Amino acid sequence: MSKAIVSSLYDSDVFRMACRQFDKAADAINLPDALRDRTKYPRRCLAVALPVKREDGSVTVFEGYRVQHNLSTGPSKGGIRFHESVTIGEVAALAMWMSWKCSLVGLPYGGAKGGVIVDPNKLSANELEHLARRYMQEMVNFVGPHTDVPAPDVGTNEKIMGWMMDTYSNHVGHVAPAVVTGKPISLGGSQGRREATGAGVAYLVKKYLADMKISIEKATVVIQGFGNVGGETAIALANYGAKIIAISDYTGGIHNARGIDVKKAVTYVQYQKVLRDFEGGEAITNEQLLELKCTVLVPAALERVITDKNAGRINCRLLAEAANGPTTNAADRILEKRGDIEIIPDVLCNSGGVIVSYFEWLQNLSNFYWSRDEVMTKLTAILDKAKDSVELQKAKFKFSRRLAALTLGIQRVADAKQSRGLFP
Ligand code: NAD
């Protein structure tokens, strides 16, 4: 009965996609029935109405969510998304993926995610601050340094995390930096957190290209999404010597076979907010961009962009899933059948973000701060270990790389639930 209630609450394409991935992995490791639904479905969620006074004096009520998928292995952890297409089902799917990701890379966290249905580009700075603070105000009894620790995701950033940390701290009556990660350095943010996800993606791309005997200096790279993750991935890959030939955001893409000046593009977006009219190449659509011939394709925007419609035409050697859930299950089957594209699955590929968020949380709890070098050395050590474990699992059971990563992540969560027993 609980199964029907839970699945109807979150029912959506993206939640069904996450559930099918889970089912396939659970079958592959023969997860006992008594553990399946407990491991699969989110533990709890909160939906909130967020009234915000607008610049013209009117009031708009926004809808927000927080889904905590798993709390068995530590506080839950996951970003907060401000985007107009947010649904509770999407937030639930993203929370599930956070559980497998944290578990895969060995962090003492469960998974969670939050979201507000809003286009942040349409809010003034004041309205955005009011919305962020109101969201945290509603979450005060639901999150906390030892319960659930949010972070930035699509449409949110350091500044917003700072406002949320301030709101929470005012409520509890003392400074509580460990309640969110991805904060400004001045509020206890970690060195290296801003670039962590992109730096991690680029590091793994470099490692996998080396395994494939492809020199990174000869690699061409296409990136969809030029926000925090896409921008930092571009910078890090360009620093390794790769040529970034196409980038995009929600306003469209830019293609330049001779290579895009990534630093110039990042500066342009800092001031203009969008890539539109950036004069670094020819304009292309996001659909065209995904099918460009390249060595590495990096989806770094939203879910479900590689589908059964375009999977047959994707023209890369390595698909590095910087975004969460960019490849639908149907597309995955097509890519697996083609067999000519290596995939770094999302739960591994973008895990650098939550790994450095974990470092930030540790630094906040101990009030002892690390250098950037220390952060980066520890980050790459964890990524190396996670990559090795995925490759071992893949070889041992002849799994796809995605199935190898998911089975490792899911097994550890299920083992923890089994060991804790069922309360009451
Ligand atoms: P962001 O808001 O900083 O950037 C998102 C980018 O995607 C923007 O350039 C935006 O214009 C673009 N975009 C939005 N809709 C698009 C569309 N329909 N077509 C093309 N581009 C579109 O967000 P982010 O933090 O960079 O997150 C990007 C992805 O990475 C998300 O899937 C997120 O869940 C994942 N991720 C983020 C982090 C993190 O630390 N921020 C960590 C792990 C995974």
Side-chain angles (χ1 to χ4, degrees):
M1 184 159 134
S2 69
K3 182 173 169 178
I5 290 168
V6 171
S7 50
S8 66
L9 174 61
Y10 301 122
D11 192 36
S12 59
D13 286 343
V14 63
F15 186 67
R16 281 195 295 273
M17 167 180 158
C19 287
R20 276 198 297 271
Q21 286 181 352
F22 174 89
D23 293 340
K24 191 174 171 193
D27 286 345
I29 53 174
N30 292 318
L31 200 65
D33 279 344
L35 267 175
R36 283 206 185 203
D37 286 357
R38 275 178 75 194
T39 309
K40 177 176 176 180
Y41 290 116
R43 165 90 172 257
R44 58 190 186 184
C45 67
L46 185 62
V48 291
L50 307 164
V52 172
K53 193 180 249 179
R54 309 300 296 267
E55 299 290 354
D56 65 3
S58 65
V59 173
T60 307
V61 180
F62 296 95
E63 195 169 321
Y65 312 107
R66 184 82 185 161
V67 177
Q68 294 168 357
H69 176 263
N70 162 35
L71 293 153
S72 301
T73 46
S76 52
K77 188 90 192 75
I80 298 171
R81 179 171 292 194
F82 282 7
H83 195 275
E84 56 198 343
S85 67
V86 160
T87 64
I88 195 167
E90 176 187 51
V91 176
L94 290 163
M96 260 172 110
W97 289 325
M98 282 307 295
S99 286
W100 318 146
K101 187 185 308 176
C102 292
S103 165
L104 170 67
V105 298
L107 304 182
Y109 287 141
K113 206 81 183 189
V116 177
I117 308 170
V118 59
D119 179 352
N121 303 311
K122 293 193 179 139
L123 299 187
S124 69
N126 270 331
E127 291 166 345
L128 188 63
E129 178 173 352
H130 291 317
L131 179 63
R133 287 186 180 279
R134 190 70 192 215
Y135 179 88
M136 180 47 95
Q137 180 61 40
E138 292 299 333
M139 293 292 151
V140 157
N141 294 314
F142 200 57
V143 301
H146 298 287
T147 317
D148 179 15
V149 185
D153 191 75
V154 174
T156 55
N157 53 26
E158 283 178 11
K159 212 171 182 179
I160 290 176
M161 293 307 113
W163 290 326
M164 289 190 176
M165 174 268 196
D166 180 66
T167 305
Y168 184 86
S169 298
N170 276 318
H171 182 86
V172 296
H174 56 84
V175 181
V179 69
V180 291
T181 57
K183 300 176 294 293
I185 304 261
S186 59
L187 293 180
S190 178
Q191 298 289 340
R193 174 59 185 91
R194 186 185 304 167
E195 59 269 42
T197 312
V201 171
Y203 180 76
L204 288 169
V205 164
K206 185 172 74 133
K207 290 285 235 181
Y208 275 103
L209 286 179
D211 291 353
M212 295 160 72
K213 312 262 181 290
I214 298 174
S215 146
I216 192 144
E217 286 89 7
K218 294 210 174 90
T220 54
V221 180
V222 168
I223 303 177
Q224 184 196 42
F226 206 65
N228 171 277
V229 177
E232 294 294 345
T233 301
I235 291 173
L237 283 173
N239 285 343
Y240 285 141
K243 195 198 283 181
I244 316 299
I245 59 164
I247 53 177
S248 74
D249 68 6
Y250 76 93
T251 64
I254 310 285
H255 177 217
N256 184 343
R258 280 172 286 119
I260 290 169
D261 184 337
V262 170
K263 285 207 176 109
K264 215 166 138 187
V266 169
T267 309
Y268 182 87
V269 171
Q270 249 166 19
Y271 290 101
Q272 303 297 326
K273 305 286 175 229
V274 289
L275 265 177
R276 190 193 292 122
D277 298 333
F278 174 65
E279 289 177 352
E282 290 156 28
I284 50 165
T285 65
N286 268 290
E287 292 71 30
Q288 291 167 327
L289 173 131
L290 291 171
E291 296 176 18
L292 285 173
K293 184 174 167 51
C294 59
T295 319
V296 188
L297 175 63
V298 186
L302 300 178
E303 308 85 63
R304 300 173 60 79
V305 293
I306 299 173
T307 66
D308 52 349
K309 306 274 184 307
N310 61 8
R313 294 192 299 270
I314 299 294
N315 201 352
C316 63
R317 299 285 308 280
L318 180 64
L319 174 62
E321 294 184 339
N324 287 303
T327 309
T328 66
N329 296 326
D332 222 15
R333 283 194 295 274
I334 294 170
L335 295 177
E336 232 177 283
K337 211 165 168 189
R338 280 180 54 172
D340 57 345
I341 297 177
E342 295 294 328
I343 300 176
I344 315 177
D346 50 4
V347 288
L348 173 65
C349 191
N350 65 36
S351 61
V354 71
I355 293 170
V356 178
S357 272
Y358 168 59
F359 297 162
E360 182 172 327
W361 180 75
L362 287 180
Q363 292 171 75
N364 295 152
L365 290 178
S366 62
N367 256 317
F368 182 75
Y369 287 84
W370 312 351
S371 69
R372 189 176 183 282
D373 279 355
E374 208 172 341
V375 167
M376 289 302 163
T377 307
K378 287 189 162 82
L379 167 64
T380 51
I382 294 184
L383 288 175
D384 283 338
K385 195 168 157 217
K387 173 178 181 282
D388 289 349
S389 67
V390 168
E391 293 311 305
L392 202 69
Q393 179 90 338
K394 177 177 180 287
K396 191 168 165 192
F397 297 104
K398 305 219 174 330
F399 286 165
S400 70
R401 193 168 289 112
R402 186 185 313 285
L403 190 59
L406 287 174
T407 49
L408 283 172
I410 289 167
Q411 183 76 64
R412 289 177 191 160
V413 175
D415 286 349
K417 287 192 181 283
Q418 172 80 10
S419 303
R420 284 188 63 159
L422 191 53
F423 177 85

